[in-house]
Amino acid sequence: MTIDNQNCATCPAHNLANLVKLGIDMSNFDYVVALAGNPNTGKSTVFNSLTGLKQHTGNWPGKTVGRTEGGFQYAEKRFKIVDLPGTYSLLSTSDDEEVARDFILFGQPDVTVIVVDATRLERNLNLVLQVLEITDRAVLCVNLIDEAARHKIYVDDRALSKSLGIPVVPTAARQGIGIQELLRNIHDVATGKYICKPHRLSSEIKNVSNAVDELNKKISKAFPHLPNTRWIALRLLEGDQKVIDSVRSGEIGNLKPVENFDE
Amino acid sequence: MNKTEEILSTANKLRWEVGENIHDSILESIYKEASNIAGQVVTRTGEKPKFDLDRFIDRLVTGKWTGFPIMLILLAVVFWITIVGANIPSGWISFLLVDSIHPWLKQLLVSLQIPWWINGIVVDGAYLAVAWVVSVMLPPMAIFFPMFTLLEDFGYLPRVAFNMDNLYRRVGAHGKQALTMSMGFGCNAAGVIATRIIDSPREKIIAIITNNFSLCNGRWPTQILIATIFIGGAVPPYLAGVVSAAAVVAIAVLGVVFSLVVSWGLSKTVLKGEPSAFSLELPPYRPPRLLQTLYTSLIDRTIFVLWRAVVFAVPAGVVIWLVANIRIGNLSFAEHFIHWVDPAALFIGLNGVIFLAYIIAIPANEIVIPTILMLTALTTRIAASAGAGVMFELDSAADTAAMLEAGGWTVLTGINLMLFSLLHNPCSTTIYTIYKETKSIKWTMISTFLPIAMGLIICFLITQIWRVIA
C-alpha cells in the first residue's frame, strides 16, 4: 500500500480500495461523523454501506429512534459514524428529534452527513437548512437518484453545493453508487481540506441577526467552551424552554465533546 | 449564576425587540429558501406519467372501502402459508431431535453410568425443552418472518398505519400510535422504544400501555399452533388451513380492537387530553431486496427469537422436570399444583396446566406452548415407557391434538388460551423496557397487570357464554 505514489491518490479505484469497513470496531477513531436526515431517505442504507454493518433497514419512518454507531477506515483515518434518528425538523421537542439535535449540537461531530431524498428535495431541504444553522461542517448526500431518474427528476448537485456552501454528493446507496465520492468528501471536510461556508438564514434576517450577535457575545463569555453559541442564542430568542432551563441551571456549560456524550 | 441570569434577561429584552413571531419568521424563511433552492436545482423532464403505479396501489391499499379488506386478506394469506407450510418441516425436526437424538443421548448417559437424576435433568429436562422449542417454533418463524419483512421492506406497514391513524385519533390517542402498534407486531420491546416518536407524554404512555395488545414475535407461533390444533382440528380437513388462518387474523384484529378500547378508556379517564396532530409521510414503494430480506429476517429475527427461546428453555426444562419428579406423597409437585388451581382455572375456561406453564414461562412468551405440552404429557401420563416429564413422538399437530384432548382440552380451552396469550403480561424484556422509557413504577405496573386482569375477565366471560350456548 505504501509503495506508490501520489498520482493514484486521486483515482477513485484507489480510494475505494482505501475503504475498510470496521463494523462495530470503533477504537481509536480520528473523526466522528453524524448521519442525519428525514425519515425514509435511506440513511440506514448509507450507514450500512459505509460500515459493512447489517443494521435492519425498513421502508418505514421511525425505524431508528436511538443512535446506532459503527466505524470505517478511509485513507488511513479512522472514522466513527453515528446514525441519528430520522427527523423532519430540529425545532420541535419529541425525543427522537432531541437525540438528533443534541448530538449535532453538543456531540460536536467532525462532519455531519445529511442524507436527503432526491425525489423530495424541497421538503428535505428544510432540515438541511436547519442543520446548517447548527454546524459548520457538513456534507449533503442526495440519495435515491436512481428513483429520481425513474421519475424523470434531476438534481444539479453543483448548483446545490454552491447555494448551500457544502459538498453535495449524488448517491444511490442501495446500488453502492456514489459511496466512494461520499467518502472522499467526508474525509476532505473532516481533515479541513474542504472548508464549508454554510448558508445561514438567521444572519440574513436583519434585526434577528443583530439580536443574535448581541446575545451570542454574552453567551460565549459565560460558557467559553460551548460549541456554536450562535444557535443557543437563536433558541433563547425563540424562547425554547429546554434551552432556557439548561442555561439557567448552568447545565449547558457542562456539555462536552463526543467521548462523554451519551443519551 | 449572575452571568446566566443576565443572558436570560438580555434574551427576554431582545425577544421583544425582534418581535414575538421570530419562530414563525425563521421557519418561514427556511421554507421559502428551501423552495427557492429546490426550484433552481431540480429539473423535471417530461410530463407526469398518466398512470402512476405507486398512486394506484396507494389508492387501493389506503382506500376507504378497500383498505381494511386488503389488510385482512394480506394477513390471512401470510398466516395460511405459514400454517400450511410449517407442519411438514416441524415433523422432520421433531423426528430428528426428539425421536432420534433424544433416546440416543439418554442411552449414552446411561452407558456412562451417570446417575438417573442428572440424566433426567439434563436430557429429559433441558435437552427436551430445547428440542421442543426448536421443532415447534423454528418452521413457522422461518416462514412467517421473511414474508412479514418483505411486506415491511415493500413499504406496506406505513399504509397500515395510515389506515389505522384515523381510528387512533378518534379514541383520543396519537395517530403515530398506529406506527408503534405495527412495530409491536414484530416485538413489543421494540414497539415500546418506538413510542419515542410521539411527542406528548400523555399519548406516549397510552401507546406504551397498549403496545402489548400487538401480538409479538413470541406469540405468533403460539397463536398459529393453537389455532392449527383446536380451531383447525374442529373443522373438516380441507378447511383446516383457511379456518385456522382466519382464527389467527381474528385474534390479531381483536388485539387492535383492545388497544383502541383501552386507549379510549385511558384518554377519557386517567390520561385526559386532546390528541395532537402530525403528518404521516407515505414512503414510495420500493422493490424489496430478496436476499437481504431473507438474511435479515433469518438472522435478526428468526435466529434471534429462537436463540432467546432456547436460552430460556434450558432453565425452564430443568424446572419442568423437577416439578414433575419431586414427589410429595403420591403425586408430583406439578400435579399437586395443577389439582389445586384447576377449579379456579376451569372456572374461567383455562386449566391448571396453563397456569403453571405461564408461571414457569414468565421470562419469555416463546416457551409457553412447549411448556404446556410437556406439562400435559407428564400429568396425563400418555408416556408409555419413560418416566414423567418426558415428551414423546408428536410428529404432527394431529398427534399434539390427540395428546391435549386426552388431557381434557376442548375447543373452548383452545380459544381461551389464544385469548389469554393475547391478553397477559408483557415478557420480562418488555416490562424492563417500559420501565426504562417511562421511568415510572406506576405505569410499568399498570402496563403489566392491566392485560392480565383483562385476560382473566375476558376468558371468564367467554366461558360463561360458551356454557350457556353449548
Side-chain angles (χ1 to χ4, degrees):
Chain A
M1 287 291 288
T2 51
I3 325 161
D4 34 281
N5 53 57
Q6 303 295 314
N7 294 342
C8 283
T10 49
C11 162
H14 175 90
N15 285 338
L16 192 60
N18 255 337
L19 171 64
V20 181
K21 295 172 177 177
L22 295 175
I24 52 168
D25 173 19
M26 293 176 296
S27 47
N28 305 319
F29 51 87
D30 300 300
Y31 299 108
V32 176
V33 179
L35 203 57
N38 283 23
N40 239 305
T41 50
K43 238 158 31 66
S44 297
T45 313
V46 172
F47 177 84
N48 286 348
S49 52
L50 290 176
T51 58
L53 289 175
K54 297 246 171 17
Q55 196 203 10
H56 183 68
T57 54
N59 187 355
W60 171 245
K63 186 82 217 178
T64 318
V65 285
R67 292 186 296 147
T68 317
E69 303 185 354
F72 64 92
Q73 186 173 333
Y74 177 81
E76 281 156 27
K77 296 278 187 252
R78 292 168 76 92
F79 293 80
K80 168 171 151 175
I81 181 160
V82 180
D83 190 12
L84 299 173
T87 55
Y88 293 103
S89 87
L90 297 175
L91 299 171
S92 94
T93 50
S94 66
D95 290 358
D96 49 345
E97 289 193 8
E98 228 159 81
V99 170
R101 176 181 99 181
D102 288 355
F103 188 81
I104 298 172
L105 184 62
F106 304 119
Q108 278 189 292
D110 295 289
V111 184
T112 301
V113 176
I114 316 160
V115 183
V116 295
D117 177 348
T119 62
R120 293 168 165 69
L121 189 66
E122 179 176 338
R123 200 184 317 163
N124 283 213
L125 277 175
N126 293 323
L127 178 74
V128 176
L129 292 171
Q130 289 175 35
V131 171
L132 292 184
E133 290 289 323
I134 303 183
T135 179
D136 282 334
R137 284 168 298 185
V139 174
L140 184 68
C141 167
V142 179
N143 196 22
L144 303 171
I145 48 162
D146 50 333
E147 223 168 80
R150 220 177 60 212
H151 290 103
K152 302 222 185 339
I153 298 172
Y154 299 95
V155 176
D156 182 348
D157 50 297
R158 287 173 166 220
L160 188 56
S161 170
K162 229 174 160 184
S163 16
L164 292 175
I166 57 170
V168 172
V169 186
T171 63
R174 273 156 65 106
Q175 282 82 24
I177 295 167
I179 295 297
Q180 59 208 35
E181 200 51 26
L182 180 64
L183 281 164
R184 192 172 60 74
N185 281 289
I186 293 173
H187 175 265
D188 288 357
V189 172
T191 54
K193 208 169 143 194
Y194 185 111
I195 309 285
C196 300
K197 295 184 191 67
H199 188 90
R200 284 268 155 84
L201 277 171
S202 59
S203 49
E204 284 168 18
I205 310 172
K206 207 167 166 234
N207 60 341
V208 174
S209 174
N210 291 341
V212 168
D213 285 343
E214 187 181 341
L215 200 53
N216 183 23
K217 263 182 230 152
K218 290 209 156 68
I219 299 173
S220 45
K221 210 187 258 171
F223 305 107
H225 302 295
L226 203 61
N228 201 344
T229 43
R230 271 189 65 85
W231 196 78
I232 305 278
L234 195 62
R235 297 308 294 164
L236 284 180
L237 276 182
E238 287 193 35
D240 184 325
Q241 196 57 43
K242 274 226 161 113
V243 177
I244 291 177
D245 289 346
S246 64
V247 168
R248 177 163 289 140
S249 65
E251 199 183 301
I252 207 160
N254 299 333
L255 289 160
K256 289 273 154 58
V258 177
E259 282 94 329
N260 303 333
F261 183 90
D262 217 333
E263 273 172 76
Chain B
M1 279 299 109
N2 261 345
K3 270 185 188 168
T4 61
E5 285 308 323
E6 192 191 328
I7 292 172
L8 293 177
S9 65
T10 315
N12 275 332
K13 190 189 69 169
L14 289 169
R15 199 176 306 141
W16 284 108
E17 282 171 23
V18 296
E20 256 183 293
N21 50 359
I22 169 169
H23 182 79
D24 292 344
S25 63
I26 289 176
L27 261 188
E28 201 178 301
S29 66
I30 284 179
Y31 276 76
K32 212 193 267 165
E33 190 62 18
S35 100
N36 217 345
I37 296 177
Q40 285 163 18
V41 301
V42 177
T43 35
R44 289 164 201 270
T45 57
E47 298 292 299
K48 277 215 156 178
K50 272 189 191 146
F51 178 76
D52 186 336
L53 187 63
D54 276 24
R55 294 293 299 279
F56 177 73
I57 298 177
D58 267 346
R59 222 169 291 148
L60 274 184
V61 300
T62 62
K64 207 171 173 186
W65 303 110
T66 47
F68 278 98
I70 289 180
M71 206 159 88
L72 294 180
I73 290 169
L74 265 178
L75 267 180
V77 167
V78 167
F79 292 133
W80 181 76
I81 296 176
T82 308
I83 289 168
V84 172
N87 223 343
I88 298 159
S90 246
W92 292 341
I93 297 177
S94 110
F95 175 77
L96 181 74
L97 294 180
V98 180
D99 303 346
S100 314
I101 297 183
H102 175 247
W104 177 82
L105 263 182
K106 209 167 161 67
Q107 213 46 55
L108 181 76
L109 263 68
V110 168
S111 68
L112 290 174
Q113 313 246 319
I114 308 279
W116 69 273
W117 57 274
I118 293 185
N119 195 335
I121 288 178
V122 174
V123 179
D124 295 337
Y127 171 78
L128 256 191
V130 172
W132 264 88
V133 163
V134 173
S135 60
V136 166
M137 289 181 55
L138 181 60
M141 285 196 309
I143 299 173
F144 175 72
F145 290 150
M147 285 198 291
F148 194 77
T149 316
L150 279 178
L151 277 183
E152 189 182 335
D153 251 20
F154 179 59
Y156 184 66
L157 287 195
R159 272 76 189 181
V160 171
F162 183 86
N163 287 336
M164 302 295 305
D165 161 55
N166 202 11
L167 293 175
Y168 278 100
R169 246 199 350 251
R170 261 192 242 166
V171 298
H174 197 290
K176 276 189 195 166
Q177 193 176 327
L179 282 172
T180 62
M181 178 210 73
S182 306
M183 198 85 151
F185 281 137
C187 168
N188 292 144
V192 168
I193 292 175
T195 61
R196 288 183 193 173
I197 60 175
I198 296 174
D199 315 3
S200 115
R202 176 188 83 87
E203 290 158 343
K204 185 175 160 175
I205 287 180
I206 294 180
I208 288 178
I209 293 177
T210 54
N211 196 270
N212 187 43
F213 297 125
S214 296
L215 281 177
C216 68
N217 281 345
R219 291 181 283 169
W220 287 117
T222 308
Q223 297 290 359
I224 291 170
L225 199 74
I226 295 292
T228 314
I229 295 170
F230 288 101
I231 316 296
V235 296
Y238 66 95
L239 281 175
V242 177
V243 172
S244 26
V248 179
V249 173
I251 289 286
V253 170
L254 200 62
V256 174
V257 171
F258 279 127
S259 88
L260 286 167
V261 171
V262 172
S263 298
W264 178 80
L266 288 170
S267 73
K268 289 285 172 276
T269 55
V270 280
L271 290 164
K272 263 190 204 139
E274 286 299 307
S276 42
F278 80 110
S279 68
L280 175 69
E281 189 175 28
L282 290 181
Y285 290 102
R286 307 214 163 108
R289 283 166 300 175
L290 278 173
L291 288 178
Q292 172 123 18
T293 302
L294 278 178
Y295 176 88
T296 47
S297 60
L298 282 179
I299 300 301
D300 289 4
R301 295 198 166 155
T302 310
I303 301 298
F304 175 80
V305 173
L306 191 67
W307 173 244
R308 217 178 84 101
V310 166
V311 167
F312 284 115
V314 170
V318 172
V319 171
I320 294 168
W321 190 86
L322 287 175
V323 296
N325 284 278
I326 295 174
R327 284 164 180 279
I328 305 166
N330 257 342
L331 292 172
S332 69
F333 180 80
E335 282 161 300
H336 276 294
F337 180 87
I338 289 166
H339 291 158
W340 180 59
V341 295
D342 246 351
L346 287 171
F347 185 59
I348 60 165
L350 294 168
N351 61 38
V353 172
I354 297 174
F355 273 23
L356 183 57
Y358 268 98
I359 292 174
I360 294 175
I362 275 178
N365 285 314
E366 294 90 324
I367 57 172
V368 165
I369 284 295
T371 308
I372 287 174
L373 293 179
M374 288 177 82
L375 285 170
T376 307
L378 80 91
T379 50
T380 53
R381 300 183 191 266
I382 289 178
S385 53
V390 182
M391 285 300 304
F392 282 83
E393 318 157 41
L394 298 169
D395 290 340
S396 65
D399 288 345
T400 316
M403 185 192 79
L404 287 174
E405 269 154 33
W409 288 59
T410 60
V411 177
L412 175 66
T413 327
I415 291 173
N416 277 336
L417 181 58
M418 284 177 86
L419 285 167
F420 195 66
S421 163
L422 172 70
L423 298 168
H424 69 89
N425 56 294
C427 71
S428 50
T429 314
T430 306
I431 295 176
Y432 177 65
T433 312
I434 292 174
Y435 177 72
K436 272 202 317 202
E437 289 296 316
T438 59
K439 296 268 188 299
S440 146
I441 292 179
K442 178 181 139 200
W443 292 118
T444 311
M445 287 308 212
I446 291 179
S447 314
T448 308
F449 289 107
L450 181 77
I452 303 184
M454 286 178 62
L456 294 176
I457 292 168
I458 301 261
C459 286
F460 171 76
L461 290 178
I462 295 279
T463 307
Q464 299 317 309
I465 295 167
W466 184 278
R467 287 191 179 141
V468 169
I469 296 171

